[in-house]
Amino acid sequence: MIRIGNASGFYGDRFTAWREMLDGGELDVLTGDYLAELTMLILARDRMRDPDLGYAKTFLRQLETCLGTALDRGVRIVTNAGGLNPAGLAAAIEKLANRLGLQTQVGYVEGDTIQRPDALSANAYLGAFGIAACLDAGADVVVTGRVTDASLVVGPAIARYGWGRDDLDELAGATVAGHLVECGAQVTGGNFSFFTELPDGGHRPGFPIAEVHPDGSSVLTKHPGTGGAVTVETVTAQLLYEIGGPSYLGPDVVTRLDTVRLHPDGPDRVRVSGVRGTPPLPTLKVGVNNLGGFRNSMTFVLCGLHIEAKAALVRGQVEEAVGKDGLEFTLARTDHPDAADTEAASALLHVHLRDGDKARAGRAFSAAAVELALASYPGCTLTTLPGDATPYGVFTADAVPQDAVAHVAVLPGGERVPIAPPIGTAPASQDESAPGGDAAVDGPTRRGALGEVVGARSGDKGGDANLGVWARTDAGYAWLRTWLTVERLAELVPETAPLSVRRYELSNLRAVNFVIEGLLGAGVAASTRFDPQAKALGELLRARIVDLPADLPAGASR
């Protein structure tokens, strides 16, 4: 097997994780995932200020503390921290190694940049074969730009086992392993619905390791003595994160998530097997970031009686002052009746303004809000001083033919090796959504929180959100798959009711997954939603009080 760890799930993850993973036990490869749709926008703005930037600067500081250790122990490093400038990061790593007196072979992958003159950034999601080529050429460190997150694991597995384009099941199995470790501690108990059941209560989960075998199967684990846990449920939770239907699309393979089998393999070990793959699409996904305009926000505190009337007064006053265009008002009823302190008696009125005119969205708006302090509702106060507008980005996704992208591996010696696209491709599968069965509950029921019997994991994909829900028992799933329909979701989470929602069943995981189109508007960077990345959507659903079957007890998976 090849033992592949992960030390970063996003730009800003635990700084010491690289050191912890190298010191914690045996590894062959250590990966770091830094890129997300919002991160690409941040890096684009960095590069606008300085053309030599565009990569995750934090990674260099992390590498400085542990590059020597990785080289001494023969642990190879693979990261997408190159962002919009993988060549720049590769050069910076070589400069760092020289300063530290280390002999380091650095390779990098490029070609993901798509020329869109009107965009801040446009990048195709490349596959894993460029990473494998760099490793085959002896690279100690491989830097990429926008590859799929799972490719950071698939590439080293290709290099170890010599898989080709036709080894679809093996590629699919490694893709699942890559998806499971890409978000760091989320698979070892981080952000886990049942965190109170973890041995350390979820205090400091360790980072994950995938032991990938020649047939593409894997075992998910972590270093001994680290926090959190690796169980079938923690793995299920991460497997449901930011997915769509059973067909998990990728540049090298379409992975069938409905074939994944999870089994305990000892303490903090879960075996992942049975994964099947089909040919990839003839196109690559392209993530595009554009400047959407400028935005600003002010929050009014409404205390005591007549909350709705107070909010209506503010709305009319603000609209009169700056005009209605681009304004958005959200009233958060955080107030409690007969409260004994101001905070408990208060609601919050969030007022957002988005506009192409920086001046209108800036002081003209925020100063108009502050000017109401002595001329509005009783008890009027705001949470911030007036401020200027800030630019925001809009994320969209489209596609380009695989053969239209110049995927190139730049080897440690400088040789540029073109990576040919897959020959065998296939169009996307037919719609695999499932509406759900009869929502009626037979037999006696009891009132309780939905989260007593199910877990959930949710996240963002552009302007859409996914919400994966899994049952803890077979009996729980038999009820869940018929009860939790699109219509039921609309009742429990009303903001989904006017949107297009696709529902998928993954019986092998005892799970259903919803894709809620447009919940996040124009994407995370533009969203004014209280939870702009939909990370808490699953916990909102679990907190709803519903009629549970009386014979369905709360409890752990069995």
Side-chain angles (χ1 to χ4, degrees):
M1 66 175 180
I2 181 171
R3 195 168 161 89
I4 305 172
N6 171 277
S8 177
F10 71 101
Y11 194 6
D13 209 344
R14 188 187 306 170
F15 186 88
T16 58
W18 287 88
R19 181 85 261 166
E20 293 170 19
M21 288 298 286
L22 286 168
D23 291 345
E26 293 297 318
L27 292 172
D28 295 302
V29 178
L30 186 54
T31 67
D33 179 12
Y34 290 79
L35 301 186
E37 291 156 0
L38 179 61
T39 311
M40 298 298 279
L41 175 64
I42 294 170
L43 296 179
R45 292 175 62 183
D46 283 350
R47 203 169 193 193
M48 288 175 65
R49 291 190 292 267
D50 184 346
D52 292 331
L53 295 179
Y55 54 79
K57 300 184 293 294
T58 301
F59 171 70
L60 273 178
R61 294 191 289 117
Q62 292 171 303
L63 192 63
E64 185 171 4
T65 69
C66 60
L67 178 58
T69 301
L71 293 171
D72 289 343
R73 297 179 183 174
V75 178
R76 303 168 92 174
I77 292 172
V78 180
T79 180
N80 61 13
L84 299 177
N85 189 9
L89 179 57
I93 292 170
E94 291 175 342
K95 183 177 179 180
L96 171 66
N98 290 335
R99 179 164 60 82
L100 297 175
L102 301 172
Q103 296 294 318
T104 307
Q105 299 294 307
V106 182
Y108 63 94
V109 177
E110 64 180 20
D112 57 296
T113 299
I114 304 297
Q115 297 303 319
R116 299 283 173 81
D118 57 338
L120 290 177
S121 66
N123 299 84
Y125 288 66
L126 301 180
F129 281 86
I131 295 171
C134 290
L135 293 170
D136 285 339
D140 303 306
V141 181
V142 180
V143 173
T144 78
R146 180 71 277 187
V147 297
T148 65
D149 300 341
S151 291
L152 301 179
V153 168
V154 180
I158 292 170
R160 170 63 63 93
Y161 300 124
W163 297 334
R165 291 285 189 180
D166 294 333
D167 294 314
L168 296 175
D169 291 344
E170 290 85 349
L171 293 171
T175 296
V176 170
H179 175 62
L180 289 173
V181 304
E182 71 188 39
C183 290
Q186 271 199 168
V187 77
T188 57
N191 300 349
F192 182 53
S193 291
F194 306 105
F195 68 97
T196 58
E197 299 177 8
L198 298 175
D200 62 347
H203 179 69
R204 188 180 172 85
F207 275 66
I209 299 166
E211 299 173 353
V212 183
H213 293 264
D215 64 353
S217 66
S218 62
V219 171
L220 266 290
T221 187
K222 61 187 183 69
H223 284 318
T226 56
V230 179
T231 70
V232 167
E233 284 198 284
T234 67
V235 172
T236 296
Q238 175 57 24
L239 196 52
L240 292 172
Y241 184 62
E242 294 184 343
I243 64 169
S247 296
Y248 188 69
L249 306 181
D252 298 320
V253 65
V254 171
T255 301
R256 295 295 311 185
L257 297 180
D258 52 359
T259 64
V260 178
R261 297 291 181 266
L262 305 178
H263 300 284
D265 193 57
D268 290 319
R269 293 177 63 83
V270 172
R271 181 167 295 279
V272 183
S273 62
V275 187
R276 296 292 177 260
T278 60
L281 270 62
T283 58
L284 295 175
K285 175 183 174 182
V286 177
V288 182
N289 280 296
N290 287 287
L291 181 64
F294 300 88
R295 69 177 180 184
N296 206 344
S297 63
M298 298 293 286
T299 297
F300 291 84
V301 179
L302 316 175
C303 185
L305 304 176
H306 310 302
I307 296 295
E308 297 285 348
K310 290 171 179 175
L313 175 58
V314 171
R315 179 170 188 148
Q317 290 176 311
V318 173
E319 288 179 346
E320 183 177 351
V322 300
K324 294 183 179 181
D325 290 348
L327 278 174
E328 181 180 336
F329 297 84
T330 303
L331 178 59
R333 293 303 301 263
T334 53
D335 53 305
H336 300 271
D338 195 27
D341 62 79
T342 303
E343 186 169 3
S346 296
L348 299 175
L349 179 64
H350 304 291
V351 186
H352 306 280
L353 177 61
R354 288 182 292 194
D355 199 276
D357 182 353
K358 184 177 182 180
R360 178 173 180 261
R363 292 277 177 166
F365 161 69
S366 59
V370 171
E371 287 172 1
L372 297 177
L374 303 181
S376 190
Y377 59 90
C380 179
T381 187
L382 294 95
T383 60
T384 60
L385 297 172
D388 289 328
T390 57
Y392 68 89
V394 173
F395 178 87
T396 57
D398 58 27
V400 296
Q402 290 230 30
D403 58 8
V405 174
H407 186 177
V408 174
V410 182
L411 308 185
E415 181 185 357
R416 300 176 61 84
V417 177
I419 304 300
I423 297 175
T425 61
S429 59
Q430 298 297 312
D431 180 28
E432 299 174 289
S433 59
D438 183 1
V441 177
D442 296 326
T445 62
R446 63 180 178 86
R447 296 290 283 174
L450 180 58
E452 293 179 22
V453 296
V454 303
R457 177 65 60 79
S458 57
D460 60 290
K461 276 296 181 184
D464 301 340
N466 102 286
L467 170 56
V469 185
W470 80 89
R472 309 199 78 186
T473 65
D474 290 340
Y477 181 63
W479 167 74
L480 177 70
R481 68 174 296 272
T482 59
W483 182 85
L484 191 54
T485 62
V486 171
E487 293 73 22
R488 182 77 67 179
L489 180 66
E491 294 174 9
L492 298 174
V493 186
E495 65 180 320
T496 68
L499 303 174
S500 176
V501 178
R502 287 175 279 126
R503 179 186 182 276
Y504 302 96
E505 295 181 0
L506 293 164
S507 59
N508 54 316
L509 304 176
R510 297 194 297 216
V512 293
N513 184 54
F514 297 91
V515 176
I516 305 159
E517 298 180 3
L519 182 70
L520 307 180
V524 173
S527 178
T528 57
R529 193 174 177 274
F530 180 72
D531 175 24
Q533 293 180 288
K535 304 299 186 187
L537 188 63
E539 290 304 292
L540 170 64
L541 177 66
R542 292 182 68 244
R544 296 308 308 265
I545 305 299
V546 302
D547 291 320
L548 299 170
D551 60 354
L552 189 62
S557 177
R558 57 184 180 274

